[in-house]
Amino acid sequence: AAALNSGETDIAATATNAAANLYNKTDGKITMLALNTKGVLYILEKGDSIQKMSDLKGKSIYAPSNVKGGNPEHIFHYLLTENGVDPSEVTIEWLTPQEITAKMVSGESGICLMPVPAATAVLLKDQGVRQALDLSAEWDKVYPAGSLVQGCVVVRKAFAEEHPAEIAKFLEEYEASI
């Protein structure tokens, strides 16, 4: 955010909620250029008690501390609410991804909210851990008209206006890289 605001950086990849905050805090001087990340949040479980969102009621889960207050937490709370669970009925223990991995692979049971690639790392380290819920699929159940987009590319509006050919070239190369 600081690099974009100062003009040190012209284009950046960020979470969609961060992009919205940047847009509002800068009165539109930072704007969205492209959407880029869908479906990267999962509920993992060592066990077999979680089959649907409402099964999380009364449970304790691990979640990465670096997403506290960000998209994953907001999405998780929204999905709980839409499935009849008050978010206060789920205890979240905020840990580093490394701490979550250690707890999931060393324990006999455990539940965590993890984004990719950390979720993949946990699944690879312990065959007893399974993907219980794909939060994109859960989102589609309660909001079928829209997909769960979590990441985007933003640009300084002044840069985009001053360099339309470079922006077009960037988007062309960005599309090719995908």
Side-chain angles (χ1 to χ4, degrees), residues 125-164:
K125 287 187 183 224
D126 188 336
Q127 298 299 314
V129 177
R130 69 180 188 86
Q131 178 186 306
L133 299 171
D134 173 342
L135 294 192
S136 288
E138 296 302 317
W139 181 272
D140 290 345
K141 290 177 188 175
V142 298
Y143 193 69
S147 57
L148 182 58
V149 179
Q150 296 170 254
C152 64
V153 176
V154 296
V155 63
R156 287 189 319 104
K157 189 174 182 181
F159 180 83
E161 290 171 351
E162 294 166 14
H163 305 280

Side-chain angles (χ1 to χ4, degrees), residues 82-120:
E82 289 298 307
N83 282 276
V85 180
D86 186 315
S88 68
E89 297 175 295
V90 177
T91 302
I92 299 176
E93 186 175 347
W94 299 101
L95 304 168
T96 68
Q98 296 81 8
E99 291 170 323
I100 294 169
T101 300
K103 285 187 175 278
M104 291 296 290
V105 301
S106 67
E108 290 182 22
S109 64
I111 304 167
C112 68
L113 165 68
M114 292 288 276
V116 169
T120 305

